[in-house]
Amino acid sequence: MKINVGFEMLYDFSQPTPMIMVLGTHFSRASDVIVPDSLTTEPSVPITPYRDLFGNWCSRIVAPAGRIRLAADGCVRDSGLPDPVSPSAGQHAVEDLPADTLVYLLGSRYCETDRLTDIAWNLFQDTPPGWARVHAICEFVHRHISFGYEHARSTKTAFEAYREGKGVCRDYAHLAIAFCRCMNIPARYCTGYLGDMGTPKPWAAGDFAGWFEAYLGGRWHTFDPRNFVPRIGRVLIAQGRDAADVPITQTFGPNSLISFRVWTDEVAG
């Protein structure tokens, strides 16, 4: 299948303001890109790309005073198959983990393992290690958190999501990530496009999505505690320890976000 992915954001700035953007299909999907979802700006300003510590492609600009439009529109080839499920994927002993996964065992800005370790072990110590344990974590988080955009808060952490029992997709991901790390399973945050293909209508307005990957059986596996079912057409943008590492936009001065649109649609034919 082919998927049209893109976004449009309008900002107002009172003065020239630096911005960092983590947008665009992840390099791991490069062979699937039919039309690149390259970042464009109106008015046109110089865009400087760079790779961050996690290998994500990022862009830097200085937004001029006034209104600026950030946009992209691309097309990606996808298998059309739901997220893979690997029940036999085993959990590694910490001493056997590859060195590059160890950072994803540690606490981070939104995933306070120190505050959640006792809770995690009380909840999941009797679950079978490996895939079944991560699945149990996702099931708990899916049932524990009530979804609603009115519950979104940029400062909300995994512990606060656990305590409040409400949030948005990034809160589901943060809590599941923190629980996995508490149980010695490396877990990393993912942001990207996730359309509603294969789900019943009516479909909600488009948005970027947050999910996570856990390291089991020698590789990374996708998990989505918000939806808790394998989904079709997931298009990764970036990965990091948590949402603090992969903000869609980061501004370094006062501004107003005037409008925000995201689309992820199957292309006919």
Side-chain angles (χ1 to χ4, degrees):
M1 66 187 300
K2 298 177 182 178
I3 304 174
N4 174 216
V5 296
F7 62 87
E8 179 190 64
M9 289 177 268
L10 299 179
Y11 282 90
D12 278 349
F13 290 95
S14 59
Q15 62 193 33
T17 304
M19 293 184 72
I20 293 175
M21 288 140 302
V22 188
L23 292 163
T25 301
H26 194 259
F27 68 85
S28 61
R29 298 293 300 269
S31 62
D32 296 324
V33 174
I34 301 170
V35 178
D37 53 335
S38 301
L39 175 66
T40 62
T41 70
E42 294 180 17
S44 179
V45 297
I47 301 174
T48 303
Y50 71 96
R51 280 192 187 273
D52 67 12
L53 295 174
F54 304 96
N56 304 306
W57 278 112
C58 309
S59 300
R60 300 173 65 182
I61 68 169
V62 176
R67 182 158 297 183
I68 187 169
R69 175 180 182 265
L70 309 177
D73 191 39
C75 185
V76 179
R77 184 180 297 105
D78 192 79
S79 68
L81 300 175
D83 301 322
V85 176
S86 303
S88 63
Q91 183 170 336
H92 297 265
V94 173
E95 61 269 27
D96 296 330
L97 285 166
D100 61 359
T101 68
L102 296 179
V103 68
Y104 299 109
L105 284 179
L106 308 178
S108 56
R109 164 68 178 87
Y110 290 108
C111 301
E112 319 101 307
T113 52
D114 55 341
R115 305 185 74 179
L116 288 162
T117 293
D118 289 345
I119 296 168
W121 279 93
N122 286 334
L123 288 170
F124 307 113
Q125 63 183 332
D126 295 328
T127 59
W131 183 277
R133 178 164 288 168
V134 180
H135 182 82
I137 287 171
C138 290
E139 182 175 18
F140 173 86
V141 171
H142 178 75
R143 297 182 185 280
H144 184 76
I145 296 180
S146 175
F147 181 86
Y149 286 112
E150 69 275 16
H151 306 315
R153 187 170 74 246
S154 63
T155 59
K156 186 182 290 186
T157 66
F159 180 76
E160 290 170 337
Y162 171 77
R163 186 178 58 193
E164 296 172 17
K166 54 189 178 182
V168 292
C169 58
R170 68 178 243 161
D171 302 310
Y172 287 76
H174 283 152
L175 183 55
I177 288 168
F179 279 153
C180 284
R181 292 176 185 173
C182 291
M183 304 304 294
N184 299 329
I185 300 169
R188 64 188 182 188
Y189 184 85
C190 299
T191 184
Y193 295 102
L194 180 60
D196 290 310
M197 293 83 77
T199 66
K201 294 184 177 182
W203 293 344
D207 195 1
F208 293 111
W211 62 90
F212 79 100
E213 294 177 345
Y215 191 82
L216 301 167
R219 67 183 185 87
W220 293 98
H221 298 265
T222 296
F223 291 91
D224 186 348
R226 158 69 179 98
N227 294 292
F228 197 53
V229 292
R231 293 287 295 270
I232 295 169
R234 198 181 297 273
V235 180
L236 180 66
I237 290 176
Q239 301 159 329
R241 291 167 298 182
D242 58 32
D245 289 331
V246 290
I248 296 300
T249 61
Q250 178 73 54
T251 58
F252 297 88
N255 66 88
S256 298
L257 177 61
I258 303 303
S259 68
F260 175 85
R261 291 195 304 125
V262 178
W263 52 90
T264 312
D265 304 309
E266 183 177 0
V267 178

